């Protein structure tokens, strides 16, 4: 191949057809020969080499440096891309001075402004961000092709062209597009000075122009400069290695094993390339697998800005309604560890979750004259701080959405990030600092919309920020430091030895190419410049694939047989027709045998293989512990992995701190759930805002509160017994309790039922009052820091248990008899076992005997009889009463049964007895079937025999 290296202004050669080669290595040799010939006798003769990508340009520079002049390289050869060359020529000619490249976001903002002012045919969808996005994308294609006279276009294309032209007028002369760039570069080629600066031009592995502006610039290069084109393409050879894996993940694992094998045989990492057809899922999968294998790579990272907790947190906060922020969203951001209020130190996310699920009682609801405990004061302070924070957050968010200009929006949003997503320390992890800087860049870019896009709205700000975040991706490694990772386009024109082509399945390669509905191929003949059709674009993708197959000395092609996210099977790419496909075995086989090589891709694979072959791993305490856990649960051994914490040093519960009777009952229901909930504080929160009707728990609390307010008025003399007054209190409680999410007809039905139940309770109580009973206490509390002391019982093992509690109601008869009442709103069936002979129902119910012992203090006469009972106050419970007299025999039984449970708590006995799986609890979250299976093997353990009667199944 000959290239004229005479005077800079020599007439261009008439033949600029590309020279084709069978492989990229051969094309590289031809390139070196062409450059050497162009500089023969003139070592400072400029030569311009145009590469298909920046990475390819860098490879070509390195290659020519190794080859030219016996490895001494050449100072006059420059490798660049077509875009960069156009930028350089325009800068030298100063044609676009004072103008900046047009970002896609700014073009979209101009289109949005046109749609807001004159939507035309798009009136019904003009306010949708997707509309402006689609038209802006089409507008970029119309830069070179839009005719001056649009009257002959179809109505839809006419409207798109109208919006395009109007948006261009809004943008004015401050920006330049790709079409402007290439047009200016083409004009610059008219100047001899510019042509001399270029010298001979060699295009290497350039694809046929899909952009008409770029094609025109290339044509001008062929006309005004001495230009030659070198290309290489290859179809899959009959002996080409084509492998199929079960899915993309297995495919990525197989590639990593093959890479490890090549590295082991001495191939340098920077001479190996992995290229994928689709960014989703290959970009993340390949990056993750290379990371796990400890292989340094150069290419897109597995994660982008959108994957960081910082960016997710901002997007979630921007989704809030400033007037009524969804606390669940705020708690979710807090749990991710990025929400940090620069003004004050907030309580932990766990504390805030508990406060949201169970707010502290208002101070005015507390008993008059009774000071709250220190713990209650702290909860109230934390709650006030948290609710104050939510109010400030909503206020700042409202300020962001109220911005009148995009510059103001960027400023207020930057302040919002500084206030609520600030760094926790002066120095933070590098990856977090990078994410923060990138996020601020996204916010700063919003200023570009000033004076172009319509005034910002909440929806526009959310959309712009979300798109900016989604577009930012991170990069791993630097050139020459590791295995190359990229898309098919990134692999063309690369100087590599080993190439892996992944994702070569139909639907991925080729991917389906769709016609632009806003600019269909049928309108092509009406445009000023012909745009490529669907078929032409498909042919160009095939040619690009063939150029990729020419890369490297050794190639391996892989494709998945199945889809990770959908059913069905995938077929090898139609571009691989005639090749022999080798199917890789299953994932399990790959894991144990390292298919397609014997190499273990990661440390985890090596450990699994070693374990399967030898049965153990030396010096792996984590695995040893896992095997011990599995063995203990399989064999029914009551060990520390199954709730036996007898060997834990120090008390698990504080014997000096009073506990409630229900505390003991919770242990009997499920000792493991007790440990999780009461010891580890792993609470479950009911999301009441998602309910469509009042829950049973809320209904019970509501009735308790109504009766409490009513009976308190009777005991302090502020009101007289009256069903009208009771129902009046109920109506006020209904109004305060109403949730807007509840269905109105179900709430009306529930209120009617509650009114009926309250009327029945009032009538029953009135009969009791007529029979000589009077109310003496309501919500009588004992065992708190202030008020009545706890109920203390000496246990058989010599220890003492202290009980606290709050009794719904205490009545006293004129004869001196005392009656303790605890309201229940459910059914009475599970309480029927409670009798004086069995006062704790086999050690499962402790409320009544403890309340009865406490009520003795309220007797006016020594030896007065005390009765404790559950009062069922709904039709579901048939308004029944279950209880008994609390005498010395009951107290003795209470000491015995409570003593066993307290001893278990003190010893650390927390076996995994499952709770009911009919409602959400720790059992259902951990897996009810698995817990039942473990319990069946464990419940007959001799270590639990002393407590077996507590765990008898209800018949």
């Amino acid at each position: 191949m000959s290239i004229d290296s005479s005077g800079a202004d020599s007439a261009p050669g008439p033949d600029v057809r590309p020279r084709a080669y069978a492989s990229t290595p051969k094309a590289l040799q031809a390139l070196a020969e062409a450059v050497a010939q162009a500089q023969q006798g003139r070592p400072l003769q400029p030569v311009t080499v145009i590469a298909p990508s920046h990475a390819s340009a860098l490879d070509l520079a390195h290659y020519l440096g190794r080859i030219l002049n016996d490895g001494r390289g050449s100072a006059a050869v420059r490798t660049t891309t077509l875009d960069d060359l156009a930028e350089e020529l325009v800068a030298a000619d100063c044609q676009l001075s004072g103008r900046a490249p047009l970002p896609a976001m700014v073009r979209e903002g101009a289109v949005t402004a046109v749609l807001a002012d004159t939507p035309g045919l798009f009136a019904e969808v003009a306010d949708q961000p997707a509309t402006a996005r689609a038209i802006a994308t089409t507008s970029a294609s119309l830069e070179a092709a839009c005719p001056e006279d649009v009257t002959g276009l179809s109505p839809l294309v006419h409207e798109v062209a109208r919006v395009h032209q109007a948006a261009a007028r809004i943008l004015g002369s401050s920006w330049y597009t790709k079409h402007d760039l290439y047009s200016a570069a083409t004009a610059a080629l008219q100047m001899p000075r510019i042509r001399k600066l270029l010298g001979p031009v060699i295009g290497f592995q350039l694809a046929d122009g899909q952009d008409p502006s770029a094609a025109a610039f290339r044509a001008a290069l062929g006309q005004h400069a001495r230009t030659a084109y070198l290309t290489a393409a290859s179809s899959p050879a009959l002996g080409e290695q084509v492998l199929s894996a079960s899915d993309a993940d297995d495919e990525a694992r197989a590639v990593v094993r093959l890479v490890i094998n090549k590295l082991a045989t001495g191939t340098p990492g920077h001479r190996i390339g992995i290229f994928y057809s689709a960014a989703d899922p290959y970009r993340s999968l390949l990056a993750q697998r290379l990371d796990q294998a400890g292989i340094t790579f150069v290419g897109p990272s597995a994660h982008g800005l959108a994957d960081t907790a910082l960016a997710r947190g901002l997007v979630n906060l921007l989704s809030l309604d400033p007037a009524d922020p969804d606390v669940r969203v705020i708690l979710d951001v807090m749990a991710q560890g990025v929400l940090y209020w620069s003004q004050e130190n907030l309580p932990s996310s766990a504390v805030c979750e508990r406060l949201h699920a169970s707010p502290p009682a208002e101070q005015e609801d507390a008993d008059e004259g009774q000071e709250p405990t220190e713990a209650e004061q702290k909860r109230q302070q934390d709650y006030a701080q948290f609710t104050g924070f939510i109010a400030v957050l909503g206020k700042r968010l409202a300020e962001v959405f109220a911005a009148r200009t995009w510059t103001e929006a960027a400023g207020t949003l930057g302040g919002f990030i500084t206030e609520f997503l600030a760094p926790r320390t002066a120095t933070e992890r590098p990856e977090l600092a990078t994410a923060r800087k990138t996020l601020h860049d996204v916010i700063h870019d919003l200023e570009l919309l000033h004076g172009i896009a319509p005034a910002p709205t909440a929806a526009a700000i959310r959309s712009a920020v979300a798109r900016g975040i989604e577009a930012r991706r991170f990069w791993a490694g630097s050139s020459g430091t590791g295995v190359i990772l990229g898309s098919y386009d990134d692999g063309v024109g690369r100087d590599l030895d080993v190439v892996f082509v992944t994702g070569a399945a139909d639907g991925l390669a080729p991917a389906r190419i769709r016609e632009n509905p806003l600019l269909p191929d049928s309108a092509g003949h009406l445009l000023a410049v012909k745009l490529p059709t669907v078929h032409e674009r498909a042919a160009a993708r095939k040619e690009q694939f063939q150029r990729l197959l020419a890369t490297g000395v050794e190639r391996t092609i892989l494709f998945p047989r199945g889809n990770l996210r959908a059913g069905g099977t995938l077929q090898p790419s139609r571009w691989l027709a005639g090749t022999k496909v080798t199917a890789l075995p299953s994932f399990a086989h790959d894991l144990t045998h390292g298919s397609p090589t014997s190499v273990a891709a990661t440390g985890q694979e090596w450990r699994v293989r070693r374990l399967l072959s030898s049965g153990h791993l030396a010096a792996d305490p984590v695995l040893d512990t896992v095997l011990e856990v599995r063995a203990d649960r399989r064999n029914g051994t009551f060990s520390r992995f199954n709730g036996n914490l007898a060997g834990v040093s120090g008390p698990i519960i504080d014997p000096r701190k009073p506990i409630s009777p229900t505390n003991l009952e919770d242990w009997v229901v499920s000792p493991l759930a007790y440990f999780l909930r009461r010891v580890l504080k792993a609470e479950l929160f009911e999301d009441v805002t998602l309910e469509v009707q009042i829950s049973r728990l809320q209904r019970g609390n509501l009735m308790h509160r109504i009766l409490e307010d009513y009976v308190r008025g009777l005991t302090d003399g502020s009101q007289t017994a009256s069903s009208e007054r009771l129902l009046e209190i109920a109506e006020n409680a209904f109004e305060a309790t109403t949730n807007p999410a509840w269905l109105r007809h179900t709430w009306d039905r529930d209120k009617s039922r509650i009114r009926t139940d309250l009327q029945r309770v009032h009538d029953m109580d009135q009969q009791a009052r007529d029979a000589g009973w009077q109310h003496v206490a309501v919500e009588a509390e004992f065992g708190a820091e202030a008020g009545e002391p706890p109920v203390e019982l000496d246990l058989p093992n010599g220890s003492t248990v202290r009980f606290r509690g709050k009794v719904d109601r205490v009545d006293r008869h004129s004869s001196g008899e005392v009656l303790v009442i605890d309201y229940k709103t459910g059914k009475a069936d599970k309480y029927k076992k409670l009798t004086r002979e069995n006062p704790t129902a086999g050690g499962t119910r402790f409320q009544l005997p403890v309340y009865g012992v406490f009520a003795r203090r309220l007797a006016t006469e020594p030896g007065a009889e005390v009765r404790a009972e559950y009062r069922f106050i709904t039709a579901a419970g048939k308004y029944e009463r279950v209880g008994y007299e609390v005498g010395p025999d009951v107290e003795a039984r209470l000491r015995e049964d409570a003593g066993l449970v307290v001893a278990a708590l003190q010893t650390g006995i927390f076996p995994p007895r499952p709770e009911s799986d009919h409602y959400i609890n720790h059992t259902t979250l951990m897996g009810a079937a698995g817990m039942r299976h473990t319990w069946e093997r464990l419940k007959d353990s001799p270590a639990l025999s002393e407590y077996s009667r507590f765990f008898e199944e209800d018949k």
Side-chain angles (χ1 to χ4, degrees):
M1 172 181 166
S2 62
I3 293 183
D4 180 17
S5 59
S6 58
D9 293 320
S10 301
D15 185 8
V16 292
R17 289 176 300 175
R19 281 286 190 90
Y21 297 89
S23 68
T24 298
K26 292 182 179 179
L28 286 168
Q29 293 175 8
L31 173 64
E33 293 171 2
V35 173
Q37 183 180 353
Q39 291 186 320
Q40 189 172 12
R42 302 177 63 187
L44 295 182
Q45 165 67 44
V47 177
T48 301
V49 179
I50 306 175
S53 65
H54 288 101
S56 174
L58 193 57
D59 274 11
L60 296 182
H62 292 163
Y63 175 81
L64 294 173
R66 295 196 310 270
I67 299 299
L68 293 178
N69 299 315
D70 297 324
R72 296 191 299 273
S74 173
V77 178
R78 95 184 121 188
T79 58
T80 185
T81 64
L82 199 66
D83 284 359
D84 289 345
L85 178 60
E87 291 273 8
E88 187 177 343
L89 297 184
V90 169
D93 195 29
C94 301
Q95 288 195 52
L96 299 178
S97 179
R99 299 171 68 178
L102 176 64
M105 180 179 68
V106 175
R107 186 195 294 272
E108 186 177 324
V111 170
T112 303
V114 176
L115 292 174
D117 185 45
T118 53
L121 193 63
F122 304 104
E124 293 186 4
V125 292
D127 59 341
Q128 300 298 316
T131 304
R133 195 172 308 141
I135 296 177
T137 301
T138 306
S139 175
S141 301
L142 282 173
E143 285 293 340
C146 187
E148 293 185 7
D149 183 9
V150 298
T151 56
L153 300 175
S154 66
L156 178 60
V157 179
H158 175 277
E159 280 294 278
V160 173
R162 176 188 67 80
V163 174
H164 163 74
Q165 293 173 338
R169 289 192 293 272
I170 291 176
L171 292 170
S173 59
S174 299
W175 310 93
Y176 67 83
T177 64
K178 279 290 183 69
H179 174 65
D180 296 330
L181 175 66
Y182 283 125
S183 298
T186 301
L189 286 173
Q190 305 287 340
M191 304 174 62
R193 176 176 61 86
I194 298 298
R195 296 198 297 272
K196 185 175 182 179
L197 186 68
L198 289 177
V201 177
I202 305 174
F204 186 80
Q205 283 286 58
L206 299 183
D208 293 338
Q210 296 291 296
D211 181 346
S213 301
F217 177 53
R218 283 183 58 180
L221 280 172
Q223 180 181 359
H224 297 290
R226 298 178 303 282
T227 306
Y229 292 100
L230 307 179
T231 186
S234 174
S235 296
L238 292 178
E240 199 90 57
Q241 188 178 17
V242 181
L243 306 176
S244 73
S246 60
D247 55 41
D249 191 26
D250 264 10
E251 189 181 356
R253 294 174 188 271
V255 168
V256 171
R257 295 187 189 104
L258 289 167
V259 169
I260 293 173
N261 203 44
K262 289 299 177 184
L263 292 172
T265 58
T267 304
H270 68 278
R271 304 294 299 171
I272 301 174
I274 306 173
F275 303 106
Y276 49 78
S277 56
D280 182 22
Y282 286 98
R283 180 168 55 197
S284 295
L285 278 179
L286 289 166
Q288 288 172 359
R289 298 307 176 205
L290 289 168
D291 266 337
Q292 291 169 357
I295 299 174
T296 302
F297 68 93
V298 181
S301 173
H303 304 293
L305 180 60
D307 300 312
T308 64
L310 190 66
R312 287 198 308 269
L314 177 61
V315 171
N316 288 338
L317 292 178
L318 290 178
S319 71
L320 296 172
D321 176 3
D324 185 22
D326 189 337
V327 181
R328 295 169 301 168
V329 173
I330 297 173
L331 290 172
D332 180 61
V333 177
M334 291 184 71
Q336 295 180 49
V338 294
L339 198 153
Y340 179 70
W341 194 17
S342 60
Q343 306 301 320
E344 296 182 30
N345 289 325
L346 286 171
S348 69
S349 61
V351 170
C352 291
E353 286 179 1
R354 287 194 287 269
L355 291 171
H356 171 61
S358 178
E362 296 292 340
Q363 184 61 43
E364 54 267 24
D365 293 338
D367 292 339
E368 293 184 7
Q370 181 176 343
E371 289 294 325
T373 64
E374 184 177 342
E376 289 171 341
Q377 287 180 342
K378 183 66 168 63
R379 289 192 76 236
Q380 290 170 354
Q381 291 170 1
D382 288 346
Y383 186 68
Q385 186 181 27
F386 180 53
T387 53
F389 161 73
I390 294 173
V392 173
L393 180 68
K395 181 180 178 182
R396 297 291 186 271
L397 200 56
E399 292 172 358
V400 170
F401 293 154
R404 291 165 294 183
T405 67
W406 283 100
T407 301
E408 184 181 346
T412 54
L413 194 51
F416 182 86
I417 294 174
T418 300
E419 183 170 0
F420 299 109
L421 299 170
R424 291 181 176 272
T425 58
T427 58
E428 56 183 353
R429 299 192 312 275
E431 62 272 17
L432 187 56
T434 300
R436 188 178 304 282
K437 180 184 180 302
T438 309
L439 188 59
H440 277 289
D441 291 342
V442 170
I443 304 306
H444 184 265
D445 284 351
L446 297 181
E447 297 182 10
L448 299 176
L449 297 173
H450 181 72
I452 294 177
T457 62
I461 292 173
R462 292 184 184 112
S463 176
V465 171
R467 286 204 66 199
I469 288 174
E470 191 63 36
R472 296 303 203 282
R473 295 206 63 84
F474 299 133
W475 191 262
S478 56
S479 179
T481 61
V483 173
I484 296 163
L485 177 64
S487 66
Y488 280 2
D489 289 345
D490 296 326
V492 174
R494 304 301 297 271
D495 177 25
L496 298 170
D497 292 334
V498 179
V499 172
F500 297 99
V501 179
T502 64
D506 255 345
L508 299 174
R512 183 177 179 183
I513 299 178
R514 293 180 173 84
E515 191 176 35
N516 185 349
L518 298 179
L519 193 61
D521 291 349
S522 58
H525 67 285
L526 299 174
L527 301 177
V529 176
K530 184 179 182 299
L531 295 177
T533 64
V534 168
H535 297 296
E536 290 169 339
R537 286 186 284 152
R541 295 308 301 167
K542 181 178 181 180
E543 291 173 3
Q544 194 78 332
F545 182 73
Q546 291 174 335
R547 289 188 175 92
L548 172 64
L549 291 186
T551 304
V553 177
E554 178 186 335
R555 287 167 301 278
T556 300
I557 304 172
L558 301 96
F559 71 90
R561 298 188 295 270
N563 195 315
L564 283 170
R565 295 178 175 84
T569 58
L570 296 175
Q571 298 299 320
S573 171
R574 67 196 71 168
W575 297 336
L576 301 178
T579 58
K580 180 182 178 181
V581 176
T582 301
L584 297 178
S586 66
F587 167 76
H589 185 277
D590 288 354
L591 191 67
T592 54
H593 295 83
S595 218
T597 71
S598 60
V599 177
T602 65
Q604 180 190 27
E605 289 188 13
W606 183 90
R607 288 191 297 273
V608 171
R609 196 180 305 178
R610 172 78 176 179
L611 182 63
L612 291 174
S613 63
S614 65
H616 73 280
L617 287 178
D620 193 331
V622 174
L623 180 60
D624 291 342
T625 302
V626 170
L627 294 176
E628 188 180 352
V629 171
R630 290 178 58 85
D632 287 353
R633 292 180 178 174
R634 183 174 57 249
N635 300 327
T637 303
F638 187 46
S639 67
R640 63 190 179 109
F641 303 115
N642 287 323
N644 186 356
L645 303 185
V648 175
S649 60
I652 296 176
I653 63 170
D654 187 351
R656 299 167 300 178
K657 188 176 180 180
I659 60 176
S660 65
T662 53
N663 194 299
L664 303 187
E665 294 176 6
D666 284 351
W667 182 89
V668 175
V669 171
S670 176
L672 176 61
Y674 175 98
F675 179 75
L676 294 172
R677 183 182 300 113
R678 294 191 178 271
V679 179
L680 299 185
K681 307 299 183 185
E683 299 181 31
L684 304 179
F685 304 124
E686 180 183 5
D687 195 344
V688 297
T689 59
L690 296 180
E691 298 288 348
V692 296
Q693 65 185 46
I694 191 170
S695 68
R696 286 182 295 180
L697 177 61
Q698 292 171 300
R699 188 173 187 269
N701 290 338
L702 176 60
M703 292 192 68
H704 273 71
R705 188 163 68 251
I706 293 170
L707 290 173
E708 176 189 341
D709 291 346
Y710 175 66
V711 176
R712 178 175 286 111
L714 299 182
T715 57
D716 63 19
S718 61
Q719 61 191 22
T720 57
S722 164
S723 61
E724 290 78 8
R725 175 55 183 158
L726 175 60
L727 294 179
E728 179 184 345
I729 293 173
E731 294 303 324
N732 293 333
F734 293 157
E735 184 176 350
T737 305
T738 300
N739 187 330
W742 292 342
L743 297 177
R744 181 173 179 179
H745 68 278
T746 59
W747 178 222
D748 289 342
R749 178 201 62 195
D750 289 328
K751 288 191 292 184
S752 177
R753 290 176 177 175
I754 293 173
R755 292 188 193 101
T756 300
D757 289 336
L758 291 174
Q759 183 65 56
R760 180 65 180 271
V761 171
H762 174 270
D763 293 344
M764 294 170 61
D765 285 344
Q766 187 59 50
Q767 293 176 7
R769 286 189 287 267
D770 293 341
W773 289 95
Q774 64 175 344
H775 312 306
V776 295
V778 61
E779 292 296 310
E781 190 172 15
F782 58 93
E785 293 184 8
E788 290 285 334
V791 170
E792 295 189 1
L793 292 177
D794 295 329
L795 302 178
N797 65 359
S799 63
T800 300
V801 62
R802 296 170 176 83
F803 286 110
R804 59 177 173 81
K806 185 181 287 187
V807 181
D808 288 339
R809 199 173 98 199
V810 181
D811 291 354
R812 189 166 53 222
H813 195 265
S814 55
S815 64
E817 182 182 354
V818 176
L819 175 63
V820 177
I821 298 174
D822 190 75
Y823 300 132
K824 295 294 181 186
T825 54
K827 295 182 179 180
D829 299 351
K830 60 184 179 181
Y831 297 91
K832 291 293 184 64
K833 293 181 179 180
L834 286 169
T835 62
R836 182 163 185 171
E837 292 72 25
N838 188 13
T840 65
T844 63
R845 304 286 177 188
F846 294 98
Q847 253 187 326
L848 289 187
V850 171
Y851 286 0
V853 173
F854 160 72
R856 291 175 183 168
R857 303 176 186 175
L858 303 180
T860 56
E861 299 178 9
E865 188 175 271
V866 174
R867 178 179 174 83
E869 69 179 28
Y870 288 127
R871 184 76 60 86
F872 295 87
I873 57 175
T874 64
K878 300 178 182 179
Y879 309 105
E880 293 191 47
R881 300 164 64 172
V882 175
Y884 46 77
E885 287 72 29
V886 181
D889 54 337
V890 169
E891 184 173 340
R893 184 65 178 270
L894 171 62
R895 293 177 192 275
E896 179 183 348
D897 291 344
L900 276 175
V901 177
V902 171
L905 294 175
Q906 293 171 341
T907 306
I909 304 298
F910 300 102
R913 186 200 190 196
E915 301 168 273
S916 169
D917 59 0
H918 296 301
Y919 57 93
I920 298 298
N921 52 38
H922 288 90
T923 294
T924 54
L925 291 183
M926 296 167 66
M931 282 195 67
R932 283 197 298 270
H933 186 68
T934 301
W935 176 243
E936 285 299 320
R937 297 183 175 191
L938 188 67
K939 65 180 182 179
D940 295 326
S941 170
L944 295 175
S945 60
E946 191 174 358
Y947 311 101
S948 59
R949 67 183 177 90
F950 292 132
F951 305 135
E952 293 178 0
E953 298 296 330
D954 293 332
K955 298 295 189 291

